[in-house]
């Protein structure tokens, strides 16, 4: 969506729009880490650019345009987070459950962290920066950020992820360097307690990883239990937002798939763009009317040459269009 309405007199409309739009991708990544929803992040960025457009004639240039936009985006995110419960993953809300249908409980959409396509948040240019950015958008890291109060969250993202100096963050937040350093210390302690950090950038998928994923798709479509046992780690986890139930361990996962989840037998699974730095697939279940109906966006985490985590996002109505997936497959 264009932010152009009436341009300030000092800058041509086309030039101002170009200068603002140059920052859309990085601002989306920042707002997503703050808000844990691609749709809220998009709204926040749009509001940021609109506020910048309307007040650009008062921009005095004492800071860079980029810093000024981050200041606006941070305030927009703070407004959106005010009084709101944090978004989470099912494993953040309680222990793993037994794989029985009575453990399925639906919680509101606003409870859950939502995945985001890599194309909306990946910077262009240096491949190393792309890889580093991917690590700080992982579902587990974004979930950990939501445990932090908004100002701690902003401080950690700006300093640890974007590598701003504490003095720059202090100026953005209208506070002292000592206050920023204190917020950072508390934020790091919270993440350490949860055993989560941005970590070292992991390498991109190699030929073995791609072959593993191809075998997984084939095994899932065939519902081949022996093949699935060979592909999934013994300590793997599975969750299915908007249900709060989550499973720990390959045995419980496969007990679910071949028990209450048996309706997934015969599904079609097609690859889509990367979600939060991880491979993602659209899953379609057989329809009684023929063809296949959308069921889940699968986000698959790999570790040690096997599948370590499976997240089935069931909100296909909003997520499938976001990821470029059709809302139905023919037979």
């Amino acid at each position: 969506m264009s932010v152009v309405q009436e341009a300030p007199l000092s800058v041509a409309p086309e030039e101002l729009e170009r200068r603002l739009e140059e920052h859309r991708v990085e601002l989306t990544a920042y707002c997503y880490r703050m808000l844990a929803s691609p749709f809220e992040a998009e709204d926040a960025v749009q509001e940021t650019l609109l506020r910048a457009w309307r007040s650009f004639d008062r921009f005095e240039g004492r800071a860079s345009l980029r810093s000024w936009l981050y200041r606006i985006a941070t305030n927009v995110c703070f407004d959106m987070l005010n009084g709101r419960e944090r978004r989470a993953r099912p494993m953040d809300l309680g222990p793993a459950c037994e794989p029985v249908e009575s453990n399925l409980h639906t919680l509101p959409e606003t409870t859950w962290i939502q995945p985001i396509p890599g194309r909306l948040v990946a910077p262009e240019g240096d491949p190393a920066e792309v890889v580093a950015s991917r690590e700080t958008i992982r579902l587990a890291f974004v979930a950990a950020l939501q445990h932090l109060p908004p100002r701690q969250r902003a401080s950690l993202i700006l300093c640890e992820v974007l590598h701003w100096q504490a003095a720059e963050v202090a100026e953005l937040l209208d506070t002292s360097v000592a206050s920023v350093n204190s917020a950072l210390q508390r934020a790091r302690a919270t993440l350490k307690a949860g055993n989560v950090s941005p970590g070292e950038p992991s390498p991109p998928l190699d030929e073995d990883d791609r072959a593993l994923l191809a075998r997984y798709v084939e095994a899932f479509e065939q519902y081949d239990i022996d093949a699935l046992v060979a592909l999934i780690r013994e300590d793997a986890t599975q969750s299915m937002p908007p249900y709060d139930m989550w499973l720990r361990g390959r045995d419980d996962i496969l007990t679910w798939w071949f028990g209450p989840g048996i309706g997934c037998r015969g599904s079609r699974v097609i690859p889509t763009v990367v979600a939060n730095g991880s491979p993602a697939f659209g899953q379609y279940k057989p329809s009684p009317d023929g063809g296949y109906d959308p069921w889940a966006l699968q986000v698959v985490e790999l570790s040690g040459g096997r599948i370590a985590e499976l997240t089935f996002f069931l909100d296909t109505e909003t997520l499938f269009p976001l990821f470029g997936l059709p809302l139905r497959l023919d037979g």
Side-chain angles (χ1 to χ4, degrees), residues 212 215-216 219 224-234 236 250-251 254 257 303-308:
L212 168 66
R215 292 197 302 274
Y216 165 71
D224 182 338
I225 189 169
D226 292 330
L228 290 166
V229 165
L231 294 169
I232 299 174
R233 285 175 58 114
E234 187 176 357
R250 180 180 60 210
D251 290 346
L254 294 179
W257 288 7
S303 177
R306 291 196 177 186
I307 292 168

PDB file of all heavy atoms in Angstrom, residues 212 215-216 219 224-234 236 250-251 254 257 303-308:
ATOM      1  N   LEU A 212      16.274 -34.925   2.980  1.00  0.00           N
ATOM      2  CA  LEU A 212      15.506 -35.300   4.162  1.00  0.00           C
ATOM      3  C   LEU A 212      14.086 -34.773   4.074  1.00  0.00           C
ATOM      4  O   LEU A 212      13.113 -35.493   4.353  1.00  0.00           O
ATOM      5  CB  LEU A 212      16.199 -34.756   5.411  1.00  0.00           C
ATOM      6  CG  LEU A 212      15.401 -34.799   6.725  1.00  0.00           C
ATOM      7  CD1 LEU A 212      15.151 -36.236   7.148  1.00  0.00           C
ATOM      8  CD2 LEU A 212      16.133 -34.032   7.824  1.00  0.00           C
ATOM      9  N   ARG A 215      12.042 -36.720   1.605  1.00  0.00           N
ATOM     10  CA  ARG A 215      11.629 -38.012   2.164  1.00  0.00           C
ATOM     11  C   ARG A 215      10.488 -37.822   3.164  1.00  0.00           C
ATOM     12  O   ARG A 215       9.566 -38.654   3.249  1.00  0.00           O
ATOM     13  CB  ARG A 215      12.808 -38.709   2.842  1.00  0.00           C
ATOM     14  CG  ARG A 215      13.898 -39.168   1.880  1.00  0.00           C
ATOM     15  CD  ARG A 215      14.828 -40.199   2.503  1.00  0.00           C
ATOM     16  NE  ARG A 215      15.491 -39.714   3.715  1.00  0.00           N
ATOM     17  CZ  ARG A 215      16.626 -39.022   3.709  1.00  0.00           C
ATOM     18  NH1 ARG A 215      17.227 -38.708   2.554  1.00  0.00           N
ATOM     19  NH2 ARG A 215      17.169 -38.621   4.855  1.00  0.00           N
ATOM     20  N   TYR A 216      10.548 -36.713   3.912  1.00  0.00           N
ATOM     21  CA  TYR A 216       9.463 -36.445   4.864  1.00  0.00           C
ATOM     22  C   TYR A 216       8.134 -36.222   4.143  1.00  0.00           C
ATOM     23  O   TYR A 216       7.104 -36.792   4.543  1.00  0.00           O
ATOM     24  CB  TYR A 216       9.800 -35.225   5.722  1.00  0.00           C
ATOM     25  CG  TYR A 216       8.597 -34.692   6.465  1.00  0.00           C
ATOM     26  CD1 TYR A 216       8.047 -35.397   7.527  1.00  0.00           C
ATOM     27  CD2 TYR A 216       7.980 -33.501   6.080  1.00  0.00           C
ATOM     28  CE1 TYR A 216       6.927 -34.931   8.200  1.00  0.00           C
ATOM     29  CE2 TYR A 216       6.868 -33.028   6.740  1.00  0.00           C
ATOM     30  CZ  TYR A 216       6.337 -33.744   7.798  1.00  0.00           C
ATOM     31  OH  TYR A 216       5.212 -33.285   8.442  1.00  0.00           O
ATOM     32  N   ALA A 219       6.907 -39.543   2.898  1.00  0.00           N
ATOM     33  CA  ALA A 219       6.448 -40.405   3.984  1.00  0.00           C
ATOM     34  C   ALA A 219       5.126 -39.912   4.565  1.00  0.00           C
ATOM     35  O   ALA A 219       4.250 -40.716   4.906  1.00  0.00           O
ATOM     36  CB  ALA A 219       7.521 -40.467   5.076  1.00  0.00           C
ATOM     37  N   ASP A 224       3.460 -43.384   5.975  1.00  0.00           N
ATOM     38  CA  ASP A 224       4.337 -44.540   6.157  1.00  0.00           C
ATOM     39  C   ASP A 224       5.004 -44.423   7.527  1.00  0.00           C
ATOM     40  O   ASP A 224       5.957 -43.666   7.709  1.00  0.00           O
ATOM     41  CB  ASP A 224       5.383 -44.551   5.034  1.00  0.00           C
ATOM     42  CG  ASP A 224       6.313 -45.744   5.095  1.00  0.00           C
ATOM     43  OD1 ASP A 224       6.455 -46.344   6.181  1.00  0.00           O
ATOM     44  OD2 ASP A 224       6.917 -46.072   4.060  1.00  0.00           O
ATOM     45  N   ILE A 225       4.510 -45.188   8.493  1.00  0.00           N
ATOM     46  CA  ILE A 225       4.988 -45.041   9.871  1.00  0.00           C
ATOM     47  C   ILE A 225       6.454 -45.407  10.010  1.00  0.00           C
ATOM     48  O   ILE A 225       7.204 -44.759  10.745  1.00  0.00           O
ATOM     49  CB  ILE A 225       4.119 -45.867  10.845  1.00  0.00           C
ATOM     50  CG1 ILE A 225       4.509 -45.522  12.295  1.00  0.00           C
ATOM     51  CG2 ILE A 225       4.224 -47.353  10.566  1.00  0.00           C
ATOM     52  CD1 ILE A 225       3.544 -46.064  13.326  1.00  0.00           C
ATOM     53  N   ASP A 226       6.906 -46.426   9.290  1.00  0.00           N
ATOM     54  CA  ASP A 226       8.311 -46.818   9.403  1.00  0.00           C
ATOM     55  C   ASP A 226       9.228 -45.717   8.885  1.00  0.00           C
ATOM     56  O   ASP A 226      10.269 -45.421   9.495  1.00  0.00           O
ATOM     57  CB  ASP A 226       8.562 -48.125   8.637  1.00  0.00           C
ATOM     58  CG  ASP A 226       7.867 -49.320   9.297  1.00  0.00           C
ATOM     59  OD1 ASP A 226       7.715 -49.295  10.527  1.00  0.00           O
ATOM     60  OD2 ASP A 226       7.479 -50.253   8.567  1.00  0.00           O
ATOM     61  N   ALA A 227       8.864 -45.126   7.755  1.00  0.00           N
ATOM     62  CA  ALA A 227       9.672 -44.046   7.201  1.00  0.00           C
ATOM     63  C   ALA A 227       9.658 -42.835   8.116  1.00  0.00           C
ATOM     64  O   ALA A 227      10.687 -42.171   8.320  1.00  0.00           O
ATOM     65  CB  ALA A 227       9.169 -43.670   5.810  1.00  0.00           C
ATOM     66  N   LEU A 228       8.511 -42.530   8.717  1.00  0.00           N
ATOM     67  CA  LEU A 228       8.404 -41.385   9.606  1.00  0.00           C
ATOM     68  C   LEU A 228       9.233 -41.588  10.876  1.00  0.00           C
ATOM     69  O   LEU A 228       9.871 -40.658  11.372  1.00  0.00           O
ATOM     70  CB  LEU A 228       6.938 -41.124   9.961  1.00  0.00           C
ATOM     71  CG  LEU A 228       6.075 -40.592   8.799  1.00  0.00           C
ATOM     72  CD1 LEU A 228       4.598 -40.683   9.142  1.00  0.00           C
ATOM     73  CD2 LEU A 228       6.460 -39.157   8.438  1.00  0.00           C
ATOM     74  N   VAL A 229       9.249 -42.802  11.396  1.00  0.00           N
ATOM     75  CA  VAL A 229      10.072 -43.104  12.567  1.00  0.00           C
ATOM     76  C   VAL A 229      11.539 -42.815  12.275  1.00  0.00           C
ATOM     77  O   VAL A 229      12.273 -42.274  13.114  1.00  0.00           O
ATOM     78  CB  VAL A 229       9.885 -44.578  12.994  1.00  0.00           C
ATOM     79  CG1 VAL A 229      10.982 -45.003  13.968  1.00  0.00           C
ATOM     80  CG2 VAL A 229       8.520 -44.779  13.631  1.00  0.00           C
ATOM     81  N   ALA A 230      11.974 -43.142  11.055  1.00  0.00           N
ATOM     82  CA  ALA A 230      13.381 -42.947  10.693  1.00  0.00           C
ATOM     83  C   ALA A 230      13.737 -41.479  10.504  1.00  0.00           C
ATOM     84  O   ALA A 230      14.911 -41.116  10.576  1.00  0.00           O
ATOM     85  CB  ALA A 230      13.681 -43.729   9.408  1.00  0.00           C
ATOM     86  N   LEU A 231      12.738 -40.620  10.274  1.00  0.00           N
ATOM     87  CA  LEU A 231      13.001 -39.220   9.937  1.00  0.00           C
ATOM     88  C   LEU A 231      12.864 -38.277  11.133  1.00  0.00           C
ATOM     89  O   LEU A 231      13.435 -37.189  11.136  1.00  0.00           O
ATOM     90  CB  LEU A 231      12.043 -38.765   8.833  1.00  0.00           C
ATOM     91  CG  LEU A 231      12.220 -39.437   7.466  1.00  0.00           C
ATOM     92  CD1 LEU A 231      11.054 -39.089   6.555  1.00  0.00           C
ATOM     93  CD2 LEU A 231      13.533 -39.030   6.832  1.00  0.00           C
ATOM     94  N   ILE A 232      12.089 -38.669  12.134  1.00  0.00           N
ATOM     95  CA  ILE A 232      11.766 -37.776  13.252  1.00  0.00           C
ATOM     96  C   ILE A 232      12.622 -38.143  14.463  1.00  0.00           C
ATOM     97  O   ILE A 232      12.750 -39.318  14.821  1.00  0.00           O
ATOM     98  CB  ILE A 232      10.268 -37.884  13.597  1.00  0.00           C
ATOM     99  CG1 ILE A 232       9.411 -37.470  12.389  1.00  0.00           C
ATOM    100  CG2 ILE A 232       9.925 -37.011  14.799  1.00  0.00           C
ATOM    101  CD1 ILE A 232       7.917 -37.684  12.588  1.00  0.00           C
ATOM    102  N   ARG A 233      13.199 -37.130  15.094  1.00  0.00           N
ATOM    103  CA  ARG A 233      14.019 -37.363  16.285  1.00  0.00           C
ATOM    104  C   ARG A 233      13.178 -37.951  17.416  1.00  0.00           C
ATOM    105  O   ARG A 233      11.988 -37.633  17.549  1.00  0.00           O
ATOM    106  CB  ARG A 233      14.651 -36.048  16.757  1.00  0.00           C
ATOM    107  CG  ARG A 233      15.807 -35.562  15.913  1.00  0.00           C
ATOM    108  CD  ARG A 233      16.284 -34.205  16.387  1.00  0.00           C
ATOM    109  NE  ARG A 233      16.684 -34.237  17.788  1.00  0.00           N
ATOM    110  CZ  ARG A 233      17.940 -34.043  18.217  1.00  0.00           C
ATOM    111  NH1 ARG A 233      18.905 -33.811  17.346  1.00  0.00           N
ATOM    112  NH2 ARG A 233      18.223 -34.060  19.505  1.00  0.00           N
ATOM    113  N   GLU A 234      13.817 -38.741  18.233  1.00  0.00           N
ATOM    114  CA  GLU A 234      13.113 -39.379  19.343  1.00  0.00           C
ATOM    115  C   GLU A 234      12.568 -38.336  20.318  1.00  0.00           C
ATOM    116  O   GLU A 234      11.530 -38.539  20.950  1.00  0.00           O
ATOM    117  CB  GLU A 234      14.059 -40.334  20.067  1.00  0.00           C
ATOM    118  CG  GLU A 234      13.395 -41.183  21.126  1.00  0.00           C
ATOM    119  CD  GLU A 234      14.339 -42.193  21.753  1.00  0.00           C
ATOM    120  OE1 GLU A 234      15.506 -42.269  21.314  1.00  0.00           O
ATOM    121  OE2 GLU A 234      13.904 -42.896  22.690  1.00  0.00           O
ATOM    122  N   ALA A 236      11.587 -35.219  19.513  1.00  0.00           N
ATOM    123  CA  ALA A 236      10.925 -34.168  18.739  1.00  0.00           C
ATOM    124  C   ALA A 236       9.693 -33.643  19.472  1.00  0.00           C
ATOM    125  O   ALA A 236       9.136 -34.296  20.361  1.00  0.00           O
ATOM    126  CB  ALA A 236      10.530 -34.689  17.363  1.00  0.00           C
ATOM    127  N   ARG A 250       8.783 -38.575  19.801  1.00  0.00           N
ATOM    128  CA  ARG A 250       8.318 -39.176  18.542  1.00  0.00           C
ATOM    129  C   ARG A 250       7.177 -40.156  18.769  1.00  0.00           C
ATOM    130  O   ARG A 250       6.213 -40.203  17.983  1.00  0.00           O
ATOM    131  CB  ARG A 250       9.494 -39.875  17.863  1.00  0.00           C
ATOM    132  CG  ARG A 250       9.171 -40.551  16.533  1.00  0.00           C
ATOM    133  CD  ARG A 250      10.409 -41.202  15.966  1.00  0.00           C
ATOM    134  NE  ARG A 250      10.920 -42.224  16.892  1.00  0.00           N
ATOM    135  CZ  ARG A 250      12.213 -42.553  16.987  1.00  0.00           C
ATOM    136  NH1 ARG A 250      13.114 -41.940  16.237  1.00  0.00           N
ATOM    137  NH2 ARG A 250      12.601 -43.484  17.830  1.00  0.00           N
ATOM    138  N   ASP A 251       7.246 -40.945  19.830  1.00  0.00           N
ATOM    139  CA  ASP A 251       6.198 -41.943  20.058  1.00  0.00           C
ATOM    140  C   ASP A 251       4.839 -41.278  20.238  1.00  0.00           C
ATOM    141  O   ASP A 251       3.831 -41.729  19.666  1.00  0.00           O
ATOM    142  CB  ASP A 251       6.536 -42.793  21.286  1.00  0.00           C
ATOM    143  CG  ASP A 251       7.717 -43.724  21.055  1.00  0.00           C
ATOM    144  OD1 ASP A 251       8.106 -43.900  19.876  1.00  0.00           O
ATOM    145  OD2 ASP A 251       8.249 -44.256  22.048  1.00  0.00           O
ATOM    146  N   LEU A 254       3.571 -39.807  16.840  1.00  0.00           N
ATOM    147  CA  LEU A 254       3.034 -40.808  15.914  1.00  0.00           C
ATOM    148  C   LEU A 254       1.784 -41.480  16.482  1.00  0.00           C
ATOM    149  O   LEU A 254       0.888 -41.874  15.721  1.00  0.00           O
ATOM    150  CB  LEU A 254       4.106 -41.837  15.578  1.00  0.00           C
ATOM    151  CG  LEU A 254       5.285 -41.267  14.774  1.00  0.00           C
ATOM    152  CD1 LEU A 254       6.323 -42.339  14.492  1.00  0.00           C
ATOM    153  CD2 LEU A 254       4.819 -40.632  13.465  1.00  0.00           C
ATOM    154  N   TRP A 257      -0.772 -39.058  15.325  1.00  0.00           N
ATOM    155  CA  TRP A 257      -1.005 -39.115  13.884  1.00  0.00           C
ATOM    156  C   TRP A 257      -1.817 -40.350  13.482  1.00  0.00           C
ATOM    157  O   TRP A 257      -2.642 -40.285  12.582  1.00  0.00           O
ATOM    158  CB  TRP A 257       0.328 -39.109  13.128  1.00  0.00           C
ATOM    159  CG  TRP A 257       1.031 -37.787  13.158  1.00  0.00           C
ATOM    160  CD1 TRP A 257       0.683 -36.683  13.866  1.00  0.00           C
ATOM    161  CD2 TRP A 257       2.225 -37.441  12.458  1.00  0.00           C
ATOM    162  NE1 TRP A 257       1.581 -35.659  13.659  1.00  0.00           N
ATOM    163  CE2 TRP A 257       2.540 -36.099  12.803  1.00  0.00           C
ATOM    164  CE3 TRP A 257       3.070 -38.126  11.597  1.00  0.00           C
ATOM    165  CZ2 TRP A 257       3.650 -35.443  12.290  1.00  0.00           C
ATOM    166  CZ3 TRP A 257       4.189 -37.474  11.088  1.00  0.00           C
ATOM    167  CH2 TRP A 257       4.477 -36.145  11.427  1.00  0.00           C
ATOM    168  N   SER A 303      17.358 -30.719  12.997  1.00  0.00           N
ATOM    169  CA  SER A 303      18.511 -30.735  13.888  1.00  0.00           C
ATOM    170  C   SER A 303      19.164 -32.110  13.816  1.00  0.00           C
ATOM    171  O   SER A 303      18.474 -33.136  13.917  1.00  0.00           O
ATOM    172  CB  SER A 303      18.091 -30.425  15.337  1.00  0.00           C
ATOM    173  OG  SER A 303      19.193 -30.499  16.210  1.00  0.00           O
ATOM    174  N   GLY A 304      20.486 -32.119  13.608  1.00  0.00           N
ATOM    175  CA  GLY A 304      21.201 -33.381  13.596  1.00  0.00           C
ATOM    176  C   GLY A 304      20.771 -34.333  12.507  1.00  0.00           C
ATOM    177  O   GLY A 304      20.816 -35.558  12.696  1.00  0.00           O
ATOM    178  N   GLY A 305      20.344 -33.794  11.382  1.00  0.00           N
ATOM    179  CA  GLY A 305      19.970 -34.655  10.269  1.00  0.00           C
ATOM    180  C   GLY A 305      18.602 -35.285  10.388  1.00  0.00           C
ATOM    181  O   GLY A 305      18.272 -36.208   9.618  1.00  0.00           O
ATOM    182  N   ARG A 306      17.780 -34.793  11.327  1.00  0.00           N
ATOM    183  CA  ARG A 306      16.413 -35.305  11.472  1.00  0.00           C
ATOM    184  C   ARG A 306      15.463 -34.148  11.794  1.00  0.00           C
ATOM    185  O   ARG A 306      15.891 -33.024  12.033  1.00  0.00           O
ATOM    186  CB  ARG A 306      16.338 -36.370  12.575  1.00  0.00           C
ATOM    187  CG  ARG A 306      17.063 -37.661  12.210  1.00  0.00           C
ATOM    188  CD  ARG A 306      16.637 -38.789  13.119  1.00  0.00           C
ATOM    189  NE  ARG A 306      17.267 -40.045  12.748  1.00  0.00           N
ATOM    190  CZ  ARG A 306      16.975 -41.207  13.313  1.00  0.00           C
ATOM    191  NH1 ARG A 306      16.057 -41.266  14.266  1.00  0.00           N
ATOM    192  NH2 ARG A 306      17.584 -42.311  12.938  1.00  0.00           N
ATOM    193  N   ILE A 307      14.181 -34.463  11.836  1.00  0.00           N
ATOM    194  CA  ILE A 307      13.164 -33.463  12.161  1.00  0.00           C
ATOM    195  C   ILE A 307      13.067 -33.344  13.670  1.00  0.00           C
ATOM    196  O   ILE A 307      12.831 -34.330  14.374  1.00  0.00           O
ATOM    197  CB  ILE A 307      11.814 -33.851  11.544  1.00  0.00           C
ATOM    198  CG1 ILE A 307      11.905 -33.757  10.012  1.00  0.00           C
ATOM    199  CG2 ILE A 307      10.699 -32.958  12.066  1.00  0.00           C
ATOM    200  CD1 ILE A 307      10.742 -34.380   9.296  1.00  0.00           C
ATOM    201  N   ALA A 308      13.256 -32.120  14.182  1.00  0.00           N
ATOM    202  CA  ALA A 308      13.275 -31.893  15.625  1.00  0.00           C
ATOM    203  C   ALA A 308      11.990 -31.250  16.137  1.00  0.00           C
ATOM    204  O   ALA A 308      11.652 -31.408  17.312  1.00  0.00           O
ATOM    205  CB  ALA A 308      14.460 -31.006  16.000  1.00  0.00           C
TER     206      ALA A 308
END
